[in-house]
Amino acid sequence: MTAPAPTAAAPIDVETIRATYDRLLWGDDISGSEWEALAGLVRGHVGLLVKEVDALVPRLRGHQQFVARWVVVQSRRMLRTSRGGDSPEQLRDLATQCRALLVLHENPGSLHPPA
């Protein structure tokens, strides 16, 4: 099954999202100003992907639905507590959530028909 088509209001720039979380997860020479820029980007990516994946949850099947709900809830919690000044560990955790959301968005598995 292919990933759902992005909506006109919220296009998903998969390459930028991947580049952002890759840099946060595996970058070892990130400067202070780059941390700030990446933090803003990853928060935005997670905010966008949470909405997209949450909209898919009712159509997901079985374990995929359970996992998606858990990732959405945890991502929202992390966004609520991420307001700037996050430690590198907190930003890496948010980048991990971003990666999980993108995987769910791109590979939702078989879906129930829309209601």
Side-chain angles (χ1 to χ4, degrees):
M1 172 129 253
T2 61
T7 62
I12 304 295
D13 182 351
V14 172
E15 294 306 315
T16 298
I17 293 170
R18 280 195 185 109
T20 301
Y21 69 62
D22 281 349
R23 185 73 176 127
L24 281 167
L25 292 172
W26 294 287
D28 56 0
D29 59 344
I30 301 173
S31 69
S33 61
E34 187 180 6
W35 273 115
E36 290 177 30
L38 289 168
L41 284 172
V42 77
R43 283 187 205 102
H45 298 327
V46 170
L48 175 64
L49 288 168
V50 159
K51 292 174 189 167
E52 295 288 323
V53 172
D54 193 36
L56 279 177
V57 167
R59 297 185 55 209
L60 296 173
R61 296 175 186 259
H63 188 68
Q64 193 79 343
Q65 186 179 60
F66 173 81
V67 169
R69 276 192 186 128
W70 189 89
V71 170
V72 165
V73 167
Q74 293 303 314
S75 297
R76 284 188 173 139
R77 181 190 56 79
M78 291 173 84
L79 281 176
R80 278 193 311 272
T81 60
S82 176
R83 295 285 183 244
D86 296 321
S87 70
E89 293 77 22
Q90 289 169 311
L91 290 175
R92 286 188 178 106
D93 288 346
L94 195 56
T96 300
Q97 290 299 117
C98 187
R99 187 176 184 201
L101 287 162
L102 186 60
V103 167
L104 287 163
H105 172 74
E106 289 189 306
N107 304 294
S110 70
L111 300 172
H112 293 289

